Amino acid sequence: MGVHLRTLRVPGSNCGGVTWEGQGLRIALAVDSYIFFANIRPDYLTAYFNSTCVYAYPRPDHNDTAVMYWNVKSFEKNIKSVRRLSHVKAAGDVCALVMRSEDLQQYMIQLTNAIGAPVDVRYIDIEPKVVAINESRVCVCSSESIFVWQFQAASSSIDMLDPVSIQQGRKETTEFSFHADDLVLADSPPSTFSKKNVT
């Protein structure tokens, strides 16, 4: 917290007062003999995939964030409540929600489908600054480390009641993490953490 986001310059020499609206979206500045009003626009978390628009908005009466999954073809809407949401990214058939876990020591990457149902989850130890996703990988970068998760997207050809179909649909997922300096220093061995899972 405490990261500088924007600066608003107003003319005048003497600021007599500043007030903030209760909902936190408007401010008023008293400068010299003028009153300036400004609207604060937060950075909204949005994504689009598989004919579904995903956007997050704070709930004023709760401590959590509502994530809306809105299918733009069928107009079906599904709302999912999450806490400590930091990023929303989507590609292919999945949407990645990145949020701080309950113990506040780790972050959770949750892959969801077009109705908001969880598909897969990974916990990471780095603070995500930048998140990117494509059809098969999620890349999370902090100020020092990089985490890459190669996931297997859920296939619609898997019949959850057929054990043979489930076994054939199981794929290995790979995840690895490394420090950003390992890419620059050619004479030192990389400290890469890698892990394979069967999902």
Side-chain angles (χ1 to χ4, degrees):
M1 303 304 168
V3 177
H4 177 263
L5 297 177
R6 289 176 187 84
T7 301
L8 175 66
R9 297 191 186 273
V10 293
S13 60
N14 185 17
C15 182
V18 177
T19 185
W20 197 290
E21 183 187 30
Q23 297 298 322
L25 295 178
R26 290 187 279 200
I27 61 172
L29 302 167
V31 179
D32 293 338
S33 61
Y34 299 99
I35 298 176
F36 295 96
F37 297 96
N39 289 327
I40 307 297
R41 275 188 255 149
D43 293 330
Y44 291 104
L45 302 174
T46 61
Y48 183 82
F49 75 107
N50 202 13
S51 301
T52 303
C53 178
V54 181
Y55 58 93
Y57 58 93
R59 293 175 136 181
D61 54 341
H62 293 89
N63 284 339
D64 57 357
T65 301
V67 180
M68 173 72 75
Y69 292 81
W70 178 35
N71 189 311
V72 296
K73 289 185 179 177
S74 66
F75 299 109
E76 180 183 345
K77 296 177 183 175
N78 295 296
I79 298 175
K80 177 183 179 100
S81 294
V82 296
R83 289 183 179 220
R84 301 175 195 85
L85 183 69
S86 64
H87 294 83
V88 175
K89 300 291 178 182
D93 293 331
V94 294
C95 177
L97 304 178
V98 180
M99 59 200 94
R100 189 180 286 259
S101 64
E102 294 294 327
D103 62 1
L104 302 177
Q105 299 297 320
Q106 292 182 318
Y107 283 84
M108 179 174 69
I109 306 169
Q110 184 179 63
L111 296 181
T112 61
N113 60 12
I115 61 171
V119 175
D120 206 349
V121 173
R122 286 293 179 274
Y123 288 91
I124 58 175
D125 294 325
I126 64 173
E127 181 182 357
K129 302 283 187 189
V130 178
V131 178
I133 186 172
N134 65 14
E135 287 80 9
S136 62
R137 288 178 182 84
V138 176
C139 181
V140 178
C141 301
S142 71
S143 56
E144 298 176 344
S145 299
I146 300 167
F147 173 82
V148 179
W149 172 23
Q150 180 179 351
F151 60 89
Q152 178 64 35
S155 173
S156 59
S157 64
I158 297 175
D159 183 4
M160 294 310 285
L161 299 176
D162 181 16
V164 174
S165 176
I166 292 173
Q167 190 64 29
Q168 290 174 346
R170 294 179 78 170
K171 303 286 183 183
E172 273 193 353
T173 62
T174 306
E175 57 189 71
F176 58 93
S177 177
F178 53 92
H179 196 274
D181 290 342
D182 291 343
L183 299 175
V184 179
L185 303 173
D187 56 345
S188 65
S191 60
T192 303
F193 161 75
S194 64
K195 186 166 104 176
K196 290 189 175 182
N197 297 318
V198 177
T199 58

